[in-house]
Amino acid sequence: QVQLQESGPGLVKPSETLSLTCTISGDSISSSYYYWGWIRQPPGKGLEWIGSIFSSGNTYYNPSLKSRVSISVDTSKNQFSLKVTSVSATDTSMYFCARQNRQLAAFDSWGQGTLVTVSS
Amino acid sequence: EIVLTQSPVTLSLSPGERATLSCRASQSVSTYLAWYQQRPGQAPRLLIYDASNRATGIPARFSGSGSGTDFTLTISSLEPEDFAVYYCQQRSNWPLTFGGGTKVEI
């Protein structure tokens, strides 16, 4: 059974870059059946899709974040990563990584999430 | 961008009652709609995909219906563990979008 685990700093200063990694176990990031995505959730609020990546490196981003976001894949480590530049307090959120099943057109497996706070 | 509007925002019911949640899309998403359940402190869990198909391990009391712009998630008889927040999500077009959520409370 696939498992996803987010890792990275829990505290980032304003204007700096937020960097998170999602490590996949029980599945291959190179599988043609899935995209791999990032979703965030501000405290007490709803879900916001950040972006998704295919193993080939093709990426899709939320237009509201596109200028500050990049997602990359490391197939040798079975990981994918998120970078958000020039962060502010509004980027404070729980960040989830998830497997996006192409056939189901849905996120069928999620990491537990990691809370990132933007504060000086 | 396709906007998903969920209603009601909050649904107050008792165990054993039937819950009916709505999700309306700003344009047609065909049947490319999923539903998720999120309990406090947990990650979302996929309940329904392609508007009406239950995901693996999801109890039969959960059902989805609809196509185009109007969708419904029905919980036939609420169990204590069903009191949670429910989100719809479309994958008809990029960017992917989520609805604002419906909280089912006791």
Side-chain angles (χ1 to χ4, degrees), chain A residues 29-47:
Chain A
I29 199 168
S30 299
S31 171
S32 61
Y33 295 108
Y34 309 112
Y35 294 100
W36 304 92
W38 288 97
I39 300 100
R40 71 180 184 178
Q41 184 173 38
K45 296 189 178 180
L47 301 168

Side-chain angles (χ1 to χ4, degrees), chain B residues 74-88:
Chain B
T74 302
I75 311 171
S76 59
S77 178
L78 284 163
E79 297 288 339
E81 62 268 27
D82 299 337
F83 291 91
V85 180
Y86 295 83
Y87 295 95
C88 57

Side-chain angles (χ1 to χ4, degrees), chain B residues 23-102:
Chain B
C23 177
R24 177 163 290 178
S26 59
Q27 63 189 77
S28 176
V29 299
S30 183
T31 58
Y32 291 118
L33 190 102
W35 290 93
Y36 301 86
Q37 177 193 67
Q38 187 177 32
R39 296 172 177 147
Q42 295 187 14
R45 174 176 72 143
L46 177 64
L47 297 175
I48 301 287
Y49 65 92
D50 282 350
S52 61
N53 296 287
R54 276 189 303 276
T56 303
I58 301 303
R61 64 181 181 273
F62 291 92
S63 63
S65 63
S67 65
T69 61
D70 290 300
F71 300 87
T72 300
L73 174 69
T74 302
I75 311 171
S76 59
S77 178
L78 284 163
E79 297 288 339
E81 62 268 27
D82 299 337
F83 291 91
V85 180
Y86 295 83
Y87 295 95
C88 57
Q89 174 248 318
Q90 67 82 23
R91 203 243 72 188
S92 176
N93 290 335
W94 301 100
L96 309 183
T97 50
F98 288 91
T102 291

